Structure formats: C-alpha cells, structure tokens
Amino acid sequence: MPAPERIPPRRVSPQELLAKGELTVRGRISGASNAVLYCTVEYEGVSAACVYKPVAGERPLWDFPDGTLAQREVAAYELSEAMGWGLVPPTVLRDGPYGEGMCQMWIEASAKDAALLALVEGEEPEPGWKAVGLADVGEERTALLVHADDERLRRLAVLDAVINNGDRKGGHLLPAADGRLYAIDHGVTFNADDKLRTLLWGWAGEPLTEEAVEALRRLSANLADGGPLAGRLAELLTVEEIDALRRRVADLLRTGRHREPSGQWPAIPWPPV
C-alpha cells in the first residue's frame, strides 16, 4: 500500500500572524513617548516577536487628531508595500490586551551595518557620505552631520516625502542582518500640512532615480479613486489627508527631484536620534 500523501503545513504570512495570532505582552520598551509594548504573537504553530502600540497609550498631539497614530503607522506600511520597497516592517491594526492598536513585526538591528549616520570634522563629507548640515556638539563646537550615500536610505527619503514624515530620526533606522533596511515609528505622518522633518536631506534638490520615478507612477495609479489602495487608506486617513498625499506624489513626479526643506517647519527633528 502506498504511503499516504503528506500535506505540507500551510504557510502563515507575517500579516496573518500579526492580525490573527494570540498576542502576549512580555514587557514595555522604555524611552518612548507613547506606550510601546514588546510582545510575542503565535498562530497555527508559528510565533514571532512584535511591537504593540495601543491607541489608549498615545499621548495627544496638538497637530494630529487624537487616537490616530496607530492608523498612520499602518498607512505608512501600506504605502511602502505599494511602492515595492518593503521599507516598513509588516504592520496591522488589531485588537489587543489593551484595546485596538498597531502591531508590527519586531526587527533585530544588525550592529555590523549600523554606520548610516555620523558626525564628522570639516565642512565637506568624505566619499560615500552625504551632508545634512552643521550640528552643535557642545563647548561652542560644531560638527558636520552626514548620512551614508546608500540606495536604501535614498528610497526611504522618497517614502518620507510621500508620507510627510514629521519625525525621521536616526534611531528609527534598523539595518537587518540580511542586508535589508527597515524604518519604524511612523505615527506622525500623513498630515495635510507640510511637516517633513528628517535627517535624510543629503539628496535634497537632486534628480530622482528612475526607480523612484517608476515607483511614484505606480503609486499614483494605485491612489486613484476606486483603487484598492485608496479604499484601504480611506479606513485609516481623512479625505483631506488622502488628497494631500496625492498632491505630494504629483509634485514629486512633476519636479522629478527630491524634496527640499520648505522653511515653514523645522527641517531636522530634535533630538535627532
């Protein structure tokens, strides 16, 4: 008699694991301005570490509607996926031990690829680096803040311009052991007003890469009324914010260049880490 056919186990996607798995809080991540909980999530024999940010733990902000930061984190993930760059870890909106919140796959940063930002002497960056600006380092001294001339960071600079990221700090960059770069903490995004604050100004005013232009064209088409992405974002953002998102994408395609500081808002977040 032939042996019975072995049915391979069903593969559980990261999104399904995060959305349907049993969420167990293991501890709180200190130093964050809002409640950030380190958790494990398990579903159909698959488990992983993740971050859970309950809406109930969000501190009110004067320029964002209360209780909307978790939705913006999910929207940033949706935009990153639509552009084909996978810069934001899998992120979902779900119920948890402390109510509805954002749940995001935990990324372990690799120390061997951590040199993405630096403070250096002199007024010009070394080859392989892009200048951001002079920074006060105390004792009436300044140093040049630079970031790596890295294609992963360049993609992230475009994504941040699209989502209108008001808080791109160095501590939000997570280079993984497999060579990929992830970015986290996207609660203060998608405001209808210009809020772009970032450490990734090294390409300001330079032409966009062909890859970025193609990604923006795809995104523009996906944001059209009736499209699946537009419908998904309608569950997470306001009509005004989605209209502003479309204008930002259109402006980038029209100019064909990386954003420059507007002068209407502090260009660099503080503290920068």
Side-chain angles (χ1 to χ4, degrees):
M1 176 181 293
E5 182 180 357
R6 182 179 180 183
I7 301 176
R10 186 175 71 86
R11 183 175 180 180
V12 177
S13 70
Q15 295 84 354
E16 187 179 19
L17 174 61
L18 291 172
K20 297 182 179 180
E22 180 179 356
L23 197 61
T24 303
V25 176
R26 302 298 183 183
R28 180 168 183 170
I29 299 175
S30 62
S33 56
N34 299 303
V36 182
L37 305 177
Y38 178 77
C39 304
T40 54
V41 61
E42 184 173 358
Y43 181 67
E44 293 191 355
V46 179
S47 62
C50 63
V51 170
Y52 164 52
K53 297 182 181 180
V55 172
E58 295 179 4
R59 293 172 56 187
L61 298 173
W62 68 269
D63 52 350
F64 285 85
D66 292 349
T68 66
L69 303 190
Q71 291 94 319
R72 296 169 195 278
E73 296 246 29
V74 177
Y77 167 71
E78 298 285 353
L79 263 290
S80 171
E81 290 300 291
M83 296 181 78
W85 287 341
L87 290 166
V88 180
T91 311
V92 303
L93 194 67
R94 60 161 292 170
D95 194 34
Y98 299 102
E100 186 179 61
M102 177 277 277
C103 191
Q104 184 176 81
M105 197 67 71
W106 176 267
I107 302 297
E108 197 68 46
S110 172
K112 70 175 184 178
D113 192 22
L116 297 173
L117 295 158
L119 286 168
V120 299
E121 300 292 337
E123 298 181 357
E124 294 294 332
E126 296 289 331
W129 295 86
K130 305 289 285 188
V132 178
L134 292 174
D136 184 358
V137 294
E139 300 181 354
E140 299 183 354
R141 295 176 56 248
T142 60
L144 185 64
L145 177 63
V146 298
H147 63 67
D149 188 1
D150 186 305
E151 65 178 10
R152 302 169 301 172
L153 288 182
R154 191 164 189 170
R155 292 174 187 145
L156 185 57
V158 176
L159 177 64
D160 281 343
V162 168
I163 67 177
N164 197 17
N165 192 350
D167 194 35
R168 172 60 70 215
K169 297 177 179 177
H172 301 164
L173 307 176
L174 301 178
D178 62 2
R180 295 184 62 178
L181 176 70
Y182 292 95
I184 60 171
D185 284 355
H186 296 106
V188 287
T189 51
F190 295 101
N191 199 299
D193 297 328
D194 183 11
K195 299 283 187 181
L196 184 58
R197 292 194 303 180
T198 175
L199 294 179
L200 303 180
W201 288 116
W203 297 280
E206 293 186 15
L208 296 168
T209 64
E210 291 184 9
E211 178 197 42
V213 171
E214 286 302 313
L216 289 166
R217 286 173 178 160
R218 290 195 303 270
L219 182 59
S220 179
N222 288 335
L223 286 170
D225 286 332
L229 182 58
R232 175 63 177 132
L233 293 180
E235 302 171 358
L236 303 167
L237 306 172
T238 68
V239 172
E240 182 184 21
E241 288 165 346
I242 294 173
D243 287 343
L245 166 62
R246 292 182 176 127
R247 288 195 298 271
R248 290 193 296 272
V249 174
D251 285 345
L252 286 166
L253 286 171
R254 176 180 55 81
T255 65
R257 294 182 178 276
H258 283 270
R259 273 287 311 273
E260 296 183 82
S262 66
Q264 301 176 357
W265 183 254
I268 297 176
W270 188 262
V273 293

